Each structure stands twice: as C-alpha cells, then as structure tokens.
Amino acid sequence: MKTYNIALLAGDGTGKEVTDEAVKVLKAIGEKHSIDFNFEPALIGGCAYDEYKTPLPDVTLDIAKKSDAVLLGAVGDWKYDTLPPEVRPERALLGIRKELNLFANLRPATVYPELTSLSPLKEDFVSGTDIMIIRELTGDVYFGTPKGIETKNGEKFGYNNMCYFESEIRRIAHVAFKVAMQRNKKLCSVDKANVLDVSRLWREIVIETSKEYPEVELSHMYVDNAAMQLIRNPKQFDVVLTGNIFGDILSDEASMLSGSLGLLPSASLSDTKLAMYEPIHGSAPDLKGQNIVNPIATILSAAMMLKYSFNMDTEHDEIVNAVRKALKDGFRTKDIAQDGMTILGTKEIGDIIKANILKY
Ligand code: IPM
Ligand code: MG
C-alpha cells in the first residue's frame, strides 16, 4: 500500500476545526480504497509565532517540503494585529507560497445546483456558473521591490512595485492554457493594459504563449470590466487568468456567485510535484470552538489534492459527490442554511459527508 505524506498546517482560529473534517474525509477515502494517508502536523501563523517567535518556522517549511502535499487551514487572529508586519500571521502565507514556489493558484468558483438560491445575485444569472480562476501567486505587487514607507519632500511616502518577469508570466500562462484544454477551451486573461506597463507585457506574453494552444479561444479583459462582467454575466467565463493582486480581488468577488466563502477550495501548484491546498476563506477567530463553521471549502480542497497531486480523479469525484449529496439532502452548516433545513455543526456535516463516501 502506498503511503501519501500530507503536511497538515491547521493554522489559527477555526483552521483546526475545518482541517479535522478534511482529514476525516481523506481517511474515509483511504479506508474505502486502501490508500494510506499519513498526516504530519506543523504550526503556521499566529500559533507558530507564539511557539517560535516567527509565523513560518523552518521546521514547518521542512515538513512541508518533504511532504507529498500540504493541507492548510487558515492563519490569523485579532490578537496578533499589533505585531510588526514581518511577523504577522499573513506573512507566513506569503512566505510559504514563495518558499515552495507555489506560483499557480487555482480557485474554482462553482455554483452547485443545490445552492443557487444562496447567492445574493439572481438565480438565473448564477445557475450553471463554473469558473476556474487562475491567479499568479508569487509575483506582482505582493512581492515586488523596492517597497516601503519613508519620508520624502517632508511627508510620508508609501510605495510598492507591480512587476513581472516574462518567465513568470509565461509559466502561469502555460498552466492556464493547459487547464483550459481540460475544460471548455476558453481563456480570458485579465489585466490593466490600458494603463499599466506591466500589464502590457502580461498581455504580450499571454498572446505569445497562446500560439502553442491553437484550440483555446483566448480573450482579454481589463480588470475593472472583468469585475463588472463577473456580476453581469458570470456564465461567459470558463478559465480566467490573472496576476496576483487582481486575482486576489476577483476570486473573493467570484465566491459570492456561489453564495458563501465557506464553500470555495483552492490549489496552489509549483513546477515540482509539491502543492498546497487550502480554503479561500480566513480563520474566523470569532467563531472558534463553537463547532459552527463550514468545513466544505477545506473538504473540497482535500478533493483537489487527490486530483492535482495524486491523480485520483475517481476519489476526487467521490468527495465532491458526497458533499453534493449532503447538500441535496438538506444538511447545512449555519452559514448556508435555508428555511426548513437541518442545521448541523462542523463535525456533524463532516460525519454525513464521510458516511456518504463510505455508502456510495
Ligand atoms: C488570499 C488572502 C491572502 C492574499 C492574504 C491573507 C495574505 O487574501 O489568499 O486570498 O492576499 O493572498
Ligand atoms: Mg484574498
């Protein structure tokens, strides 16, 4: 029996509650298919700061680097808000992305038929939406230098640098075209090429890369228009390719198509086989310990791990179907509950999903 070693970085707040359920579900898959998933826990974020005075200790990075895949909960808690920026929990997230070279962030925004009425948008507009946002994750204004706050002309001056090497654009473009080839072969690249030089280069390299994928229909959209089109007509999108900061913003916006941040998973891939999987939501420290948060985004992130890291398409589908069955049967956590439905706790919805996996 092959063993898959998974670095388990639960993080802060409700991170452990949601990763516990994903572990439960992976163990059910293991039991059903005789796969051995071995979990190696490590600290990241505020809890790591408490223990090691850094949010991303070397021991955590080592465990992550030696693993076959990383499962992350969430980082951050109000109690760390006063820490200096270099040791804040969010830094650990940026640090691990950079250290593991996780440049390709896949954020699917899928509207499940069971949940179309959850979206704040009209059902007709969102039903059937199935978008894959591909966000570049290790470059852009997030990591560009020079950056800082200093005094200039007698007043404070803050600055960051939005920048990309063509090699960084090319490698994320290849990921996006490959994903598009597996889907409906439509790729929309989002930039701000009417204003930003870095975006003009982005567009040039994306067009160049597209020559290798003649079957994919490529379009370009300015980010402001894309923000509007996502609400106006989300079904026009298949794969959306964009840089780090635009992708950060557009993926939060897209999550509202499905109605809850608690539903959306993500995968962050590198050019080696190492990858990290995490829900797109935060750590919700105010909800900690109450057994009320929605573990589905993390459970679906574990499903993405099976698909993208371990090539287990059947097992991936089993998790997705088990989640959908639970929703169809009217089992909900509080964030997505509607009239007449059974409200369950974090653990209980995890149990139902596990039972569905073992049963079907
Ligand atoms: C995300 C988050 C992070 C980001 C923060 C927490 C640093 O918003 O994963 O989208 O900006 O990338
Ligand atoms: Mg974000």
Side-chain angles (χ1 to χ4, degrees), residues 139-163:
D140 204 344
V141 67
Y142 270 66
F143 293 95
T145 50
K147 63 177 181 122
I149 303 175
E150 56 189 56
T151 304
K152 207 168 160 170
N153 305 334
E155 58 174 328
K156 280 192 193 156
F157 174 67
Y159 54 99
N160 288 86
N161 185 12
M162 191 176 217
C163 52

Side-chain angles (χ1 to χ4, degrees), residues 1-4 6 22-39 306 310 312 315-316 318-319 354 357-358:
M1 186 153 70
K2 184 165 165 35
T3 298
Y4 294 89
I6 298 169
V23 167
K24 187 189 277 178
V25 162
L26 284 173
K27 284 188 173 153
I29 289 284
E31 186 181 325
K32 188 168 171 187
H33 296 277
S34 304
I35 305 164
D36 183 26
F37 294 113
N38 176 45
F39 298 93
L306 298 185
F310 306 149
M312 297 177 187
E315 291 81 354
H316 162 272
E318 280 178 11
I319 296 182
K354 172 183 167 178
I357 287 172
L358 295 175

